[in-house]
Amino acid sequence: MRSLGSPVLVLGIESSCDETSAAVVADGREILSNLVASQDEIHRPYGGVVPELASRQHLTHIGPVVAGALKEANVSLQDLSAIAVTQGPGLIGSLLVGLSFAKSIAYARRIPLVAVDHLEGHIRAVYLESPGPIPHPAVSLVVSGGHTSLFLMEREEKYHLLGKTRDDAAGEAYDKVAKRLGLGYPGGPILDRLARLGDADAFRFGVARFTDGSADFSFSGLKSAVLRAIVEKKVHPLARGENPESRHDLLDLAAGFQRAVVTALVERTEQAALEQKARAILVSGGVAANRELRATFEARARALGIPVMFPSIKLSTDNAAMIAAAGYLKVLRKEFSGIDLNADVELRLGEEGVRRSHRHI
Ligand code: KG4
Ligand code: ZN
């Protein structure tokens, strides 16, 4: 570890899904490098992540990505205070590549190792970029390809799960609808762009609401309703070489689908913010890159007088800077892991002692 007075340099490593990423962050705030090797091209023909292909790609990318991140930051291994690595949740084969790599460098070079929950990483991206302190209590929505979870944060680093999706994650619904429409992968950015050109009133979709008082989400019903509309209204998938912008039925369908997703996410979060008397709303994860989601949250938050905060677009989707930033606080507390650290696909942030609101305890 470096001497007192020099910055705390954390190398972050993230490989939980289909991005191989490494970053160097100084003092939990300053991003010296943040390299992301995307596998979108590999998974595109399948319209979703193929786990076996993902772990193989991670194996190819991990070495060069870590070396590149250190080089860009102008930092060598002996300068590092710690290595922070994503422990879970995620795809087991993918997680193991980053974790084994991190463990081997940590062991060989005697660098402290810290384990990070991927969802906490997404949330810490907001803190990393926030110009000032974030007021608490806050409600924090993590919305990505694998997760749609809402947390109450009474203070920094204290997470209490309020609700999560009972079936598909919001990003997963984007990816599946885009696949069915022949639009490619990942579906979120494509549908986001097309939805802006469509008329959301041409296709109106609802999203399931739970009457048991829970703050859970559900998107599989919406996905089925969209797929049904595709058949009933004879919306053909995009043909090869066809320009999607000339297809008004596709644009309108994208707009109607997106309106339903955004409404569900914003309404549920807003309701939780009011119930919990939140002083801030945090929104992170890949779907937080969505422009309509950002604009709607901002408009509603203004009306409620509660600030809403997002990471930049680059830090919304999977990256290692958020993992390094989450690891930094654990480094300060010396919460180091041993060489026996294992991946855990079932890590559940904020679920210890959860009192689910629909259960009467
Ligand atoms: O956080 P992330 O990179 O990976 C996971 O942890 O899952 O999120 C990826 C997800 C994908 O489902 C992708 O379609 C979605 O985020 N996404 C978006 C947008 N950009 C990425 N969804 C809606 N609008 C976007 N602009
Ligand atoms: Zn993620």
Side-chain angles (χ1 to χ4, degrees), residues 47-336:
V49 178
V50 182
E52 189 55 36
L53 293 180
S55 34
R56 256 187 264 162
Q57 284 299 308
H58 284 306
L59 278 173
T60 311
H61 289 310
I62 189 83
V65 166
V66 170
L70 290 169
K71 186 159 184 272
E72 194 178 305
N74 202 13
V75 158
S76 58
L77 285 174
Q78 61 262 30
D79 298 327
L80 294 176
S81 310
I83 300 175
V85 64
T86 306
Q87 184 189 10
L91 301 169
I92 185 66
S94 292
L95 286 165
L96 282 172
V97 176
L99 195 85
S100 313
F101 199 85
K103 272 175 27 174
S104 50
I105 319 176
Y107 184 68
R109 306 300 287 260
R110 298 181 192 284
I111 304 168
L113 182 70
V114 290
V116 172
D117 184 304
H118 182 77
L119 270 71
E120 183 171 21
H122 275 302
I123 295 171
R124 290 306 304 180
V126 184
Y127 289 83
L128 170 61
E129 293 189 306
S130 167
I134 292 177
H136 294 83
V139 292
S140 179
L141 175 71
V142 182
V143 62
S144 71
H147 310 278
T148 304
S149 300
L150 190 59
F151 299 94
L152 166 66
M153 296 180 63
E154 279 157 23
R155 56 180 162 77
E156 207 171 324
E157 286 191 282
K158 188 165 187 331
Y159 308 97
H160 172 87
L161 184 77
L162 295 171
K164 63 179 180 178
T165 182
R166 293 190 185 179
D167 38 62
D168 291 350
E172 191 179 350
Y174 267 98
D175 295 337
K176 287 178 176 167
V177 166
K179 179 180 181 182
R180 186 61 177 262
L181 293 172
L183 295 174
Y185 174 83
I190 305 165
L191 284 168
D192 185 3
R193 184 171 61 81
L194 298 182
R196 246 170 287 150
L197 306 169
D199 172 11
D201 291 324
F203 288 91
R204 285 171 178 259
F205 299 108
V207 170
R209 280 163 190 279
F210 299 108
T211 51
D212 58 5
S214 93
D216 282 348
F217 299 88
S218 166
F219 292 101
S220 74
L222 168 65
K223 180 192 66 192
S224 307
V226 172
L227 300 186
R228 232 177 3 255
I230 290 174
V231 175
E232 282 167 11
K233 301 274 174 0
K234 299 192 172 44
V235 180
H236 299 294
L238 192 71
R240 196 179 275 267
E242 195 179 12
N243 175 9
E245 295 180 14
S246 66
R247 286 280 307 277
H248 290 282
D249 54 349
L250 279 187
L251 302 179
D252 292 346
L253 193 71
F257 163 74
Q258 178 156 289
R259 174 68 51 84
V261 175
V262 166
T263 304
L265 292 173
V266 174
E267 281 186 357
R268 197 73 36 85
T269 307
E270 186 181 301
Q271 191 187 343
L274 290 173
E275 280 170 13
Q276 305 295 340
K277 300 192 172 37
R279 297 176 61 215
I281 296 172
L282 318 184
V283 187
S284 59
V287 182
N290 188 274
R291 297 215 209 159
E292 186 175 335
L293 184 72
R294 286 179 179 240
T296 311
F297 258 122
E298 265 154 13
R300 291 299 309 153
R302 249 194 318 275
L304 293 176
I306 307 174
V308 59
M309 296 166 203
F310 304 89
S312 58
I313 303 284
K314 169 120 207 265
L315 291 197
S316 294
T317 47
D318 287 352
N319 68 88
M322 69 186 198
I323 302 301
Y328 168 73
L329 298 167
K330 299 179 204 300
V331 175
L332 295 186
R333 289 194 299 267
K334 297 193 168 32
E335 279 176 27
F336 300 132

Side-chain angles (χ1 to χ4, degrees), residues 5-77:
S6 48
V8 174
L9 295 175
V10 177
L11 169 68
I13 297 182
E14 154 64 35
S15 70
S16 65
C17 189
D18 63 339
E19 324 278 3
T20 321
S21 182
V24 179
V25 175
D27 293 329
R29 282 209 75 84
E30 194 192 346
I31 301 176
L32 303 183
S33 62
N34 188 20
L35 267 57
V36 182
S38 161
Q39 303 180 4
D40 288 351
E41 292 300 324
I42 305 285
H43 301 291
R44 190 157 288 141
Y46 308 95
V49 178
V50 182
E52 189 55 36
L53 293 180
S55 34
R56 256 187 264 162
Q57 284 299 308
H58 284 306
L59 278 173
T60 311
H61 289 310
I62 189 83
V65 166
V66 170
L70 290 169
K71 186 159 184 272
E72 194 178 305
N74 202 13
V75 158
S76 58
L77 285 174

